[in-house]
Amino acid sequence: MIGSRQGIGMTSARTRDRLVKRLMDQGIRSEAVLNQIRSVPRHLFVDEALASRAYEDTALPIGLGQTISQPFIVARMTEALLAGFEGEKVLEIGTGCGYQTAVLAPLVKQIYTVERLRELMVKTRQRLRDLDIYNVQYRPGDGWEGWPKYGPYDGIIVTAAASSMPKKLLQQLAPGGRLIIPIGQPGQQDLTMVVNHPDAYEQVSLGPVSFVPLVQGK
Ligand code: SAH
């Protein structure tokens, strides 16, 4: 039977289950993360015209030259971040439309999120409130600076690609904390995980990714 666009159509449980199955096939193991991918209404984070594609495993444009991240990458980054600690305080750089924020929020105590485009940040703050997500603090600003006021953070997740490792983010990482960040130039970015051990930073590559750049300066 062919479903209606609203009911058993493009945003239905079956459509979401298909996405979750796909992520499992690609190696996502965390039940908590998979449940979040199933329950966050991704169609509410994209333009109505793109809603029918919201549960495809693909990045989509969201205006202002920005994108909503690919569900697989959101799942992978969230899983990598949460493998390291009992979720407490997380700093997120690159709020964008807030999809990553929404997936992560119920899994940690508090998120501090920084976005350089104020207009986008204001819209996203309203969207997440409409979804009853309240454990997020928002700041318009430059992610290269982090958000020192509330640091150090148990986890830091960056959803734009940095040209090099941002030193200030390393400084805001709590002992034992982990930083998940894409690093590199367009076309050759590497998803990098840094763990803050007592004697050294351990750096692990999680594979190639494709993000918009983490813009330098204002
Ligand atoms: N997290 C989003 C994807 C974000 S796209 C999701 O879940 O879909 C990357 C975002 O990083 C964009 O909104 C962009 O404006 C923002 N950004 C780019 N450079 C930045 C900087 N220096 N500081 C803060 N945010 C930045």
Side-chain angles (χ1 to χ4, degrees):
M1 197 177 84
I2 297 167
S4 78
R5 285 170 66 81
Q6 291 306 317
I8 54 172
M10 63 194 183
T11 65
S12 70
R14 205 194 299 164
T15 310
R16 297 182 191 202
D17 283 344
R18 205 182 302 134
L19 172 60
V20 167
K21 166 124 193 350
R22 194 187 150 113
L23 300 194
M24 288 172 75
D25 290 346
Q26 289 182 88
I28 304 298
R29 291 282 166 268
S30 163
E31 280 295 322
V33 171
L34 291 167
N35 281 337
Q36 278 302 98
I37 296 285
R38 188 181 286 106
S39 63
V40 174
R42 192 167 183 258
H43 62 283
L44 301 181
F45 291 76
V46 299
D47 288 345
E48 231 166 293
L50 287 172
S52 64
R53 301 189 57 198
Y55 298 93
E56 291 176 17
D57 187 25
T58 176
L60 294 168
I62 56 165
L64 299 170
Q66 304 306 325
T67 52
I68 181 170
S69 297
Q70 183 192 354
F72 172 69
I73 297 297
V74 170
R76 181 110 171 81
M77 291 176 78
T78 309
E79 190 172 63
L81 184 77
L82 295 178
F85 65 99
E86 296 297 317
E88 291 283 317
K89 242 198 306 184
V90 173
L91 174 66
E92 177 190 52
I93 305 297
T95 322
C97 65
Y99 179 65
Q100 169 72 69
T101 324
V103 169
L104 185 59
L107 307 179
V108 302
K109 202 160 173 189
Q110 185 74 36
I111 299 182
Y112 300 85
T113 190
V114 180
E115 167 60 52
R116 66 182 281 276
L117 301 175
R118 179 184 287 270
E119 188 193 338
L120 190 55
M121 191 217 77
V122 168
K123 268 196 203 160
T124 295
R125 186 170 56 196
Q126 190 56 50
R127 175 183 291 122
L128 294 185
R129 282 180 187 164
D130 291 344
L131 291 170
D132 289 332
I133 296 169
Y134 300 114
N135 59 334
V136 181
Q137 290 209 49
Y138 303 83
R139 172 176 148 115
D142 180 9
W144 285 90
E145 301 294 320
W147 195 347
K149 184 172 172 194
Y150 296 104
Y153 301 93
D154 306 307
I156 302 180
I157 183 167
V158 183
T159 66
S163 50
S164 60
M165 181 66 76
K167 294 228 166 47
K168 290 184 178 163
L169 295 187
L170 286 179
Q171 289 162 4
Q172 290 168 43
L173 202 53
R178 40 178 73 191
L179 164 65
I180 313 288
I181 180 170
I183 294 188
Q185 305 304 323
Q188 41 179 330
Q189 301 165 4
D190 186 41
L191 187 58
T192 306
M193 177 171 79
V194 180
V195 184
N196 185 8
H197 293 301
D199 46 345
Y201 291 110
E202 177 195 4
Q203 195 163 321
V204 183
S205 166
L206 301 178
V209 284
S210 178
F211 278 87
V212 299
L214 186 68
V215 177
Q216 294 264 13
K218 292 268 158 179

